[in-house]
Amino acid sequence: MEDLLIQNVNLEKPENHLQHRTDGFDGAKSLVVRRGAPFKVTVQLKGRPFNPNTDHIRIKVMLGRLYVVMPVTFHKEASATRWRAYMDPEGLNLKRPSIYISPPAVASVGSYRFQLCVFTPIGKQSGKFGKFVLLCNPWCSDDTVYIPFEDQREEYILNDSCLLFMGSCKNVVSRPWSYDQFEPGVLEACLNLLQVSPEHQKNRRRDYLHRNNPVYISRVVSAMINSEDDRGVLKGKWSGTFKDGVNPALWTGSGDILTKWAQSGYQAVKYGQCWVFAAVMCTVMRVLGIPCRVVTNFNSAHDTNGNLVIEEYYSETGQKLRHSKDSIWNFHVWVECWMARGDLGSGMDGWQVLDPTPQERSGGVFCCGPAPVRAIKERRIDLLYDVPFVYAEVNADVHTMIVSQGQVVSHSMDTERVGSLICTKVVGFPRVQNITGDYKFVKGWTSPMSSRSSTLSSRSSGYSEDSTLTRGSSSGATVSLDLDKAPIAGEPINFTIKVMNLQKVSKMMKLHLNAQAKEYNNSPSDTFWEVHGVLHLGPMEVKTIKKQIFPAEYEDVVGDDLINLAVVVEDTSSEDRLLASEEFNIASPELIIQIPDEKSVRVNQEQVATVTFKNPFSHPVSGALTLVGSGLIRGKLNFRLSALRAGGTVEQSFSFTPFMLGTKMLQASLSLFNTNSTIRGFKMIYVNRS
């Protein structure tokens, strides 16, 4: 009889993917498995059957030039630290034996090759090669990314859509985003990101060895998402036009960005801003098997000199000035990844801050983290990595100064404004989860829609102990500025000013109101609305002033930007000046997506849906409507919206055929022409089996 030969090796992709929770990658060319759990390959033999008494099988597993050789045994065993391979003697098919390869929970992430060789009594007879991709495993308790709750594993690894939170802490805006981790080409792009990194190019052996550690992987990815030091994914841009690329506000998911980067030969994709950087990093980390979520910090400090103080300057008429390199972003978006931190000792495991937006260098490159959230709360600024920088982002004090003729004429300090709300998406539901208390000790938290009411001292002689910028006071008077409600596009901005005379003598006050358009991370631009006047106050008198900014006055300058609104009052006798201000966004209307029978949505069956838009503006609008949905729509659906009169309503019907099971997000975005506004909407859809 002919001696046995290996005819082929079946990687058993459907079974392995199901067992390893990687079935979303069924469309990938490679077998995709997770470390710390065995996967099965079946050997089709030619010639005589396998003889367990005389024949032996060895497997060589290779990552680059690193390799390990292991015998295939009949002992069903696994190891947290060593590679193992075995056959299950029960039900063993000697013509088609199945072999279980068990990677250790500390194996490196990457694209592996393996060689399977059979040795018979007359010597080595044949061998076959195979490939597989190995990822981290949050389902394995021995893995350093193990997260103990199934709903969190499904949310932070398998969920392919999310809401990003933007706007301002008093008017939070939900922006839908598709992570696209299971879309064609995304897995390969994420693996290539590790190969293209400077760490791999400088020392491939060292890089492969260190890829067993999520701390190392996360720093590599954080640096590679931006293109400042390397062949990274995204080029950042925060001002000017975006004609040679894509306006960051127009991206709807990570898949287009990652595949465009890979297909261009790793040329930076133009352009990204903080939420785009963070969302793309979240995709990469989830692909690599590291639990990850996107986090928004409202009123995020960018402390350039590390003194935990942000300085802001206003003119005596309430115009915010560009006098400092420090800044406060109305919101800033980063990611948290879940991992053990054996390098820091006990107590620092769990969520770690990572920020791929290029702000400051860490270890010589533009990356940030992983900084333990617990270390930030406890101000452990002695720990790795970048804890002081993130601590300042959520805890810095704000010193505000009024300047007149080059001289500072009023000081104030706010200890609560920075990091006023830190949030992420709730597990399993499309709504906000407040996690501020994870980062800092919070005296008390109220709804983002409520107005803070503590006092802001505005004496030129020094700083107060606690404050917010919504209220100012001196020994002689107080002033407050409050929005009557969260502003909505197409409606007037209504706000109330209260000025109180604290003395038993009459006062004459100069009153200055100023509104400027503002990008979320920059100082405001020129004034677009202002009012000046004189206010007479009797002894101990309080005056309430109601004001409005009408849509026609703000529509052309705001769009997706924010508004900085300030009031300065000056006591003409003492020359004391008081400042109160608010920075806020204007909520856009949502696109409404409707499906006639949501329970009837099934895989591979055509569905019909409708998008409805009502024009809230005081003028006609036109724009481009885009529909996307990971697992629902291949590519994009595009429609053109003709001029729609003010107050008018338009409907657009479309059809799509879902191709993946489970809960999916259908997104609609309407980019309006001749303005920087984009109107969005989304709908969560559950796709059933046919």
Side-chain angles (χ1 to χ4, degrees):
M1 178 184 286
E2 181 184 0
D3 204 12
L4 86 168
L5 297 171
I6 300 176
Q7 190 170 8
N8 62 61
V9 176
N10 185 344
L11 298 181
E12 305 287 3
K13 281 178 63 175
E15 180 180 344
N16 284 322
H17 283 179
L18 188 63
Q19 292 295 323
H20 285 251
R21 282 95 167 173
T22 55
D23 43 315
F25 298 116
D26 281 347
K29 297 178 181 178
S30 300
L31 169 68
V32 184
V33 293
R34 302 189 187 278
R35 63 188 189 180
F39 62 93
K40 183 172 80 172
V41 297
T42 300
V43 183
Q44 178 66 54
L45 297 175
K46 182 180 179 181
R48 66 172 175 83
F50 179 77
N51 185 339
N53 297 316
T54 60
D55 302 325
H56 305 281
I57 300 177
R58 290 183 184 174
I59 296 177
K60 181 180 182 180
V61 174
M62 295 158 278
L63 179 63
R65 294 185 178 180
L66 302 178
Y67 67 89
V68 61
V69 179
M70 54 191 154
V72 178
T73 70
F74 288 93
H75 303 289
K76 187 177 180 180
E77 60 177 344
S79 170
T81 58
R82 299 184 65 183
W83 287 82
R84 296 282 192 241
Y86 61 87
M87 293 183 185
D88 188 347
E90 294 186 12
L92 181 62
N93 184 335
L94 298 180
K95 289 289 290 183
R96 296 184 71 253
S98 292
I99 299 171
Y100 295 87
I101 301 173
S102 183
V106 295
S108 294
V109 169
S111 297
Y112 284 76
R113 295 175 297 125
F114 72 89
Q115 182 183 29
L116 193 151
C117 296
V118 175
F119 294 83
T120 68
I122 63 172
K124 177 180 176 181
Q125 292 300 301
S126 71
K128 287 287 183 180
F129 287 91
K131 296 180 180 180
F132 63 92
V133 171
L134 190 64
L135 309 177
C136 292
N137 190 355
W139 283 267
C140 173
S141 59
D142 292 323
D143 198 313
T144 50
V145 302
Y146 173 68
I147 193 167
F149 303 106
E150 179 60 24
D151 61 342
Q152 293 187 10
R153 292 190 288 256
E154 291 182 2
E155 177 73 38
Y156 300 134
I157 292 290
L158 302 181
N159 191 2
D160 59 4
S161 64
C162 190
L163 294 180
L164 311 178
F165 299 112
M166 305 167 68
S168 61
C169 64
K170 294 184 180 181
N171 197 8
V172 176
V173 173
S174 301
R175 175 170 294 185
W177 188 270
S178 182
Y179 289 130
D180 297 329
Q181 65 261 46
F182 304 120
E183 291 296 304
V186 172
L187 169 68
E188 292 77 10
C190 295
L191 294 168
N192 288 341
L193 181 148
L194 300 179
Q195 301 295 104
V196 173
S197 72
E199 286 76 8
H200 186 76
Q201 297 301 315
K202 286 185 291 189
N203 190 327
R204 299 188 178 191
R205 183 178 186 277
R206 179 184 180 277
D207 176 60
Y208 280 135
L209 288 171
H210 282 78
R211 281 196 209 168
N212 70 332
N213 184 355
V215 174
Y216 174 81
I217 295 173
S218 65
R219 281 187 66 79
V220 170
V221 174
S222 176
M224 282 297 296
I225 296 299
N226 70 73
S227 62
E228 294 302 309
D229 306 292
D230 43 47
R231 299 165 70 188
V233 176
L234 277 161
K235 177 71 174 175
K237 190 174 185 181
W238 284 267
S239 61
T241 66
F242 303 96
K243 293 182 179 179
D244 59 337
V246 176
N247 185 324
L250 299 183
W251 295 115
T252 58
S254 304
D256 286 347
I257 295 169
L258 287 165
T259 54
K260 185 175 183 178
W261 172 72
Q263 291 168 1
S264 70
Y266 314 115
Q267 299 296 311
V269 176
K270 300 176 180 178
Y271 289 100
Q273 291 180 8
C274 68
W275 70 92
V276 184
F277 286 109
V280 173
M281 181 167 182
C282 191
T283 296
V284 176
M285 300 307 281
R286 289 188 182 188
V287 166
L288 299 180
I290 300 174
C292 190
R293 64 187 186 183
V294 174
V295 170
T296 301
N297 176 36
F298 286 98
N299 294 328
S300 186
H302 185 181
D303 181 18
T304 58
N305 56 13
N307 66 350
L308 297 180
V309 171
I310 304 297
E311 295 178 336
E312 293 187 331
Y313 296 86
Y314 282 81
S315 74
E316 57 187 329
T317 57
Q319 186 176 34
K320 197 171 186 180
L321 307 172
R322 301 187 181 191
H323 282 2
S324 174
K325 292 183 179 180
D326 289 348
S327 61
I328 297 177
W329 296 14
N330 290 82
F331 65 88
H332 182 48
V333 184
W334 56 64
V335 303
E336 289 177 356
C337 291
W338 183 276
M339 65 187 73
R341 292 302 302 270
D343 57 322
L344 300 182
S346 62
M348 295 300 157
D349 298 346
W351 291 116
Q352 316 285 318
V353 171
L354 288 140
D355 190 350
T357 299
Q359 295 184 89
E360 300 292 333
R361 293 186 184 274
S362 172
V365 298
F366 279 104
C367 68
C368 180
V373 172
R374 182 171 177 179
I376 296 163
K377 183 172 184 176
E378 296 176 357
R379 201 178 179 182
R380 290 291 307 278
I381 58 177
D382 57 307
L383 297 181
L384 298 173
Y385 292 93
D386 306 304
V387 174
F389 183 76
V390 183
Y391 180 88
E393 288 184 297
V394 301
N395 282 294
D397 293 338
V398 183
H399 290 194
T400 303
M401 284 148 275
I402 298 176
V403 179
S404 177
Q405 298 180 353
Q407 299 295 317
V408 174
V409 295
S410 178
H411 293 173
S412 60
M413 185 175 76
D414 187 337
T415 61
E416 297 178 1
R417 179 177 163 202
V418 167
S420 55
L421 172 64
I422 306 169
C423 64
T424 188
K425 175 187 169 295
V426 171
V427 173
F429 298 95
R431 60 173 184 260
V432 174
Q433 178 184 353
N434 174 21
I435 57 172
T436 312
D438 295 345
Y439 280 81
K440 56 199 297 185
F441 295 97
V442 182
K443 298 176 183 177
W445 185 82
T446 55
S447 165
M449 299 300 296
S450 67
S451 175
R452 297 175 294 170
S453 60
S454 54
T455 301
L456 173 65
S457 172
S458 188
R459 296 286 291 174
S460 60
S461 58
Y463 297 96
S464 71
E465 292 300 317
D466 67 324
S467 59
T468 80
L469 279 180
T470 60
R471 190 176 296 265
S473 70
S474 73
S475 60
T478 66
V479 62
S480 67
L481 169 65
D482 293 286
L483 297 174
D484 294 350
K485 65 174 185 176
I488 299 173
E491 297 182 6
I493 301 168
N494 297 297
F495 59 96
T496 301
I497 301 163
K498 287 184 180 180
V499 184
M500 178 184 293
N501 183 357
L502 300 178
Q503 295 179 337
K504 296 180 180 180
V505 295
S506 297
K507 289 182 179 294
M508 185 174 73
M509 314 285 286
K510 291 182 180 178
L511 181 72
H512 306 282
L513 295 172
N514 188 288
Q516 298 162 270
K518 178 184 185 297
E519 294 178 336
Y520 78 97
N521 67 316
N522 280 324
S523 297
S525 58
D526 293 337
T527 297
F528 71 87
W529 179 91
E530 60 184 327
V531 171
H532 306 279
V534 175
L535 186 66
H536 295 276
L537 291 173
M540 307 299 292
E541 183 181 5
V542 178
K543 282 197 174 178
T544 299
I545 304 167
K546 295 282 189 179
K547 288 291 183 181
Q548 289 183 315
I549 304 176
F550 292 100
E553 296 175 295
Y554 68 73
E555 282 176 354
D556 292 337
V557 296
V558 179
D560 284 340
D561 289 343
L562 299 100
I563 289 177
N564 187 91
L565 179 64
V567 55
V568 172
V569 294
E570 179 185 351
D571 187 333
T572 57
S573 59
S574 67
E575 296 187 349
D576 279 349
R577 293 173 176 86
L578 311 177
L579 168 71
S581 71
E582 281 279 7
E583 288 186 346
F584 56 88
N585 57 303
I586 298 175
S588 297
E590 291 187 358
L591 299 177
I592 305 301
I593 304 174
Q594 294 177 306
I595 298 175
D597 185 2
E598 296 180 27
K599 295 182 180 179
S600 69
V601 178
R602 300 188 182 279
V603 70
N604 297 324
Q605 291 186 11
E606 187 178 57
Q607 307 292 327
V608 177
T610 302
V611 178
T612 304
F613 169 63
K614 182 177 181 180
N615 179 12
F617 301 105
S618 59
H619 53 79
V621 297
S622 59
L625 176 65
T626 302
L627 295 150
V628 297
S630 181
L632 300 172
I633 299 172
R634 297 186 188 276
K636 299 179 180 180
L637 300 177
N638 296 295
F639 302 92
R640 186 181 180 90
L641 175 67
S642 300
L644 178 65
R645 63 178 177 80
T649 300
V650 65
E651 291 186 353
Q652 176 66 59
S653 296
F654 63 97
S655 61
F656 64 98
T657 303
F659 54 93
M660 290 184 70
L661 295 169
T663 302
K664 300 297 174 184
M665 176 186 282
L666 181 59
Q667 287 188 59
S669 59
L670 175 61
S671 179
L672 299 179
F673 300 147
N674 300 320
T675 177
N676 64 344
S677 291
T678 302
I679 314 299
R680 300 176 179 83
F682 73 95
K683 190 172 189 64
M684 303 307 298
I685 299 173
Y686 186 79
V687 182
N688 299 279
R689 296 187 182 276
S690 298

